[in-house]
Amino acid sequence: MRRLLLILLVPALLAPAAPAAAETRSGPTASGYGGAVASVDPMATAAGLEVLRRGGNAVDAALAVAATLGVTEPFSSGIGGGGFFVYYDARTGRVSTLDGRETAPRAMTETAFVDPATGQPLAFQEARVSGLSAGVPGSLATWDTAARLWGTRPLSAALRPAAQVARDGFPVDATFAQQVSDNATAFSQFEPTARLFLPGGAPPAVGSTMRNPDLAATYELLARRGVDTFYRGEIGRDIVATVQRPPVAAGPAQPWPYAIRPGGMTQDDLRAYEVRRPAPTRISYRGYDVYGMATPSSGGSTVGESLNILERSDLRALPKSQALHRYLEASALAFADRNRYVGDYTPRPLLDALLTDGFAGERACLIDPAKALAKPVQPGVPDGRYQRCATAPGGAAPDQGQSTTNLTVADKWGNVVEYTLTIEQIGGNGIVVPGRGFLLNNELTDFNFTPTQGTERDPNLPGPGKRPRSSMAPTIVLQHGRPFLAVGSPGGSTIITTVLQILVNRLDLGMTLPEALAAPRASQRNTASVTAEPAFIASPEGQALAGLGHTFTPMAEIGAATAVEFLPHGRLLACAEPVRRGSGSAGTVR
């Protein structure tokens, strides 16, 4: 939701130096002290600020934000999905990550998305709106793990206030109504989804109150009994039944061109789910240390490789059009390597090789200041021998999932959470679990349906217990070992370029953080055309880039980022989108 509201914060439980009274206005930008929260939704941001105000830390607040987003942003997040959680611990100075990505059932094979009757890959919407696309959800396990490892209060403390929001309801805004309208045909195929989101057969009216008593009851049950009731108990049984026997409406209001396929998830798959704790990716860039997610996310490696390539140019000394030319070319080169090498089972030495300075230098030598490279470019060979510009077989087209949300939280002690969570497409697979009030994900469509690498191994084919490749790129930047900036975004494969462009804007092009988020965006993912916002295409730099051979495909908006920057003397700058997705919400404790 993008409902702007005034949040009145009293100074109880703040640091001793807090003023006697304070007021924080929720908008896209806020600066102050005592902690900061940025998300897409004012109600979620308010929930996080309240936790910080009452003495909770960044993890406690992040979980409150995430649980509330599961209510107010149900088409982008929720307990039916998964995500990646990056945490900076001020006490130890360490960055840690949690991989809460959804997992394929153990019965899934490489041909899961191939129609056995034709031998051809399924149409995307046929695969998406089905039980076949649902992976074992990881969000709840992530929340529980984060609370136990780094929080100061149990997960139930985050779930109960969010349950109250679900029970009392929230005002429907234009974005929420439009997302339901865009999914109306898919939602109408399933009785519980249509009953919740299409009351009377139509999307809820803007300004009406959206209530979800089933989700409230689900949150309350989880608060009482813990996450085992999800992975080993009654909620899990309902998830499995929904995946195996989708609750298809007897007479859907709108026709659907495909049969609704069942999935193969079992209760054993739910019981076997584990949150992974991989070491973060890390690169050094112009005196900053940039940390991100390792596989199955490609965000950390692709953002990191792109920055390593860009470090070979002094972007500050170049005309802006030339800096942006190198940004587009570097991201194309890194995407070629991502598509060729990165998947759930990529060996860590190979992932680390993609992030070496030697490999980046070899890739950077391909960039021609006078003209754009012909796309798609070929991947490089990260073999440790970097005397020349070698190439290897080509890569796949980028995945396009868009239904994701991001939150950024910092507390008064200097702890930081950057968390990107998702159910994949807007509306996930379209299926609400009966009686439970949450949508299931369609995350398994992030696998490549058929091989994309010619005679070489495709790293992102489906497999039993495998996690599909992601583009989520929650990123924390340190300077001299202390937090400088945390940033992340939704947007499918454009997440990578959104985070990268914000970093370039802030670290190289002299923009403030609000300017870096607001600037027009362009996304080059090793495709023939650059996806770009209209303002980018129409800018002088866009015209100059066209003269270098870049071609553009317009996209109304790219990404919906949140970020927090650490300013001198303990001041925090929290930023969300001023316009995209109806604008976001940022606030500080005081």
Side-chain angles (χ1 to χ4, degrees):
M1 301 302 95
R2 268 64 51 183
R3 301 166 298 280
L4 295 182
L5 74 163
L6 189 66
I7 305 171
L8 297 178
L9 297 172
V10 298
L13 300 178
L14 295 181
E23 181 182 279
T24 299
R25 187 177 300 275
S26 176
T29 301
S31 65
Y33 301 89
V37 179
S39 81
V40 299
D41 174 44
M43 294 186 79
T45 295
L49 288 170
E50 180 67 9
V51 171
L52 294 176
R53 183 182 70 80
R54 293 184 177 274
N57 70 7
V59 171
D60 303 324
L63 299 181
V65 176
T68 305
L69 288 172
V71 179
T72 62
E73 294 281 323
F75 312 127
S76 300
S77 63
I79 58 176
F84 298 103
F85 192 103
V86 181
Y87 174 61
Y88 171 80
D89 188 319
R91 183 179 62 83
T92 64
R94 294 183 57 188
V95 176
S96 302
T97 68
L98 298 179
D99 164 15
R101 182 68 158 159
E102 300 87 339
T103 300
R106 285 180 284 185
M108 180 159 268
T109 68
E110 286 192 355
T111 59
F113 293 111
V114 175
D115 188 336
T118 65
Q120 297 300 308
L122 298 176
F124 179 79
Q125 290 296 340
E126 182 177 10
R128 174 208 165 194
V129 181
S130 73
L132 189 63
S133 66
V136 177
S139 285
L140 260 178
T142 302
W143 300 355
D144 186 59
T145 301
R148 288 187 291 102
L149 288 175
W150 306 305
T152 68
R153 51 186 67 182
L155 177 58
S156 59
L159 292 174
R160 287 194 174 99
Q164 195 63 45
V165 174
R167 193 171 299 284
D168 293 345
F170 55 90
V172 172
D173 69 0
T175 300
F176 188 100
Q178 186 62 52
Q179 289 175 338
V180 176
S181 180
D182 291 343
N183 277 284
T185 301
F187 284 179
S188 70
Q189 306 309 307
F190 305 103
E191 191 275 332
T193 314
R195 185 172 63 248
L196 180 59
F197 295 122
L198 295 167
V206 174
S208 64
T209 299
M210 179 69 197
R211 295 183 176 88
N212 191 338
D214 286 347
L215 181 57
T218 298
Y219 273 6
E220 289 164 351
L221 177 64
L222 289 163
R224 290 194 309 272
R225 297 189 187 174
V227 300
D228 272 0
T229 194
F230 188 94
Y231 290 98
R232 298 173 180 273
E234 58 192 87
I235 299 174
R237 289 192 292 271
D238 289 346
I239 292 171
V240 168
T242 303
V243 169
Q244 293 183 357
R245 297 180 298 278
V248 178
Q254 300 182 52
W256 187 248
Y258 309 108
I260 306 296
R261 295 175 180 265
M265 188 190 300
T266 68
Q267 288 179 257
D268 284 343
D269 292 317
L270 279 167
R271 282 191 287 266
Y273 187 84
E274 293 183 352
V275 174
R276 299 174 182 170
R277 297 181 62 187
T281 61
R282 175 181 175 273
I283 62 108
S284 295
Y285 184 72
R286 307 196 198 282
Y288 299 93
D289 292 313
V290 182
Y291 290 85
M293 276 304 310
T295 55
S297 178
S298 61
S301 62
T302 312
V303 169
E305 182 186 343
S306 299
L307 289 173
N308 282 340
I309 293 170
L310 288 171
E311 197 168 27
R312 272 66 194 162
S313 300
D314 185 358
L315 300 185
R316 300 176 194 179
L318 293 172
K320 188 177 179 182
S321 60
Q322 271 295 317
L324 291 172
H325 170 61
R326 285 163 171 79
Y327 152 70
L328 294 174
E329 298 293 78
S331 60
L333 291 162
F335 258 91
D337 300 324
R338 165 213 191 249
N339 295 341
R340 172 65 190 87
Y341 298 113
V342 181
D344 189 23
Y345 299 148
T346 301
R348 189 61 191 238
L350 174 55
L351 191 72
D352 292 341
L354 295 173
L355 292 171
T356 59
D357 287 333
F359 183 62
E362 182 172 88
R363 300 300 273 156
C365 74
L366 296 173
I367 297 176
D368 184 346
K371 64 178 180 179
L373 294 164
K375 310 296 188 309
V377 298
Q378 299 298 302
V381 182
D383 57 3
R385 299 186 297 273
Y386 303 126
Q387 292 81 25
R388 60 188 181 84
C389 296
T391 58
D399 48 87
Q400 298 292 331
Q402 296 291 323
S403 178
T404 306
T405 193
N406 191 81
L407 61 95
T408 311
V409 180
D411 63 30
K412 63 184 178 182
W413 298 284
N415 303 304
V416 185
V417 171
E418 188 63 51
Y419 183 27
T420 312
L421 55 161
T422 184
I423 60 171
E424 181 54 9
Q425 293 295 118
I426 293 175
N429 73 351
I431 309 175
V432 167
V433 179
R436 301 301 180 183
F438 62 89
L439 283 156
L440 291 175
N441 67 85
N442 67 297
E443 216 62 64
L444 302 186
T445 58
D446 264 356
F447 285 122
N448 295 334
F449 287 13
T450 54
T452 64
Q453 301 300 314
T455 60
E456 303 293 333
R457 184 187 69 87
D458 188 317
N460 192 41
L461 289 175
K466 191 175 182 181
R467 302 187 180 193
R469 181 172 60 203
S470 171
S471 297
M472 289 182 275
T475 301
I476 292 178
V477 181
L478 305 185
Q479 186 179 35
H480 308 307
R482 300 180 64 85
F484 171 74
L485 178 67
V487 62
S489 177
S493 56
T494 68
I495 292 172
I496 291 168
T497 55
T498 295
V499 169
L500 175 62
Q501 190 172 359
I502 290 170
L503 291 174
V504 169
N505 288 345
R506 179 68 190 91
L507 302 180
D508 290 306
L509 301 187
M511 297 185 193
T512 65
L513 185 60
E515 291 169 342
L517 264 70
R521 292 181 185 144
S523 178
Q524 171 50 271
R525 292 158 288 157
N526 199 26
T527 53
S529 179
V530 177
T531 303
E533 294 175 337
F536 186 97
I537 298 171
S539 69
E541 292 78 22
Q543 299 300 307
L545 290 166
L548 295 177
H550 294 280
T551 60
F552 297 102
T553 298
M555 187 174 186
E557 60 181 38
I558 296 173
T562 66
V564 169
E565 183 173 335
F566 288 72
L567 303 176
H569 311 299
R571 194 171 185 87
L572 297 164
L573 176 61
C575 293
E577 296 286 355
V579 176
R580 297 178 183 95
R581 274 204 190 181
S583 82
S585 171
T588 57
V589 171
R590 68 181 194 277

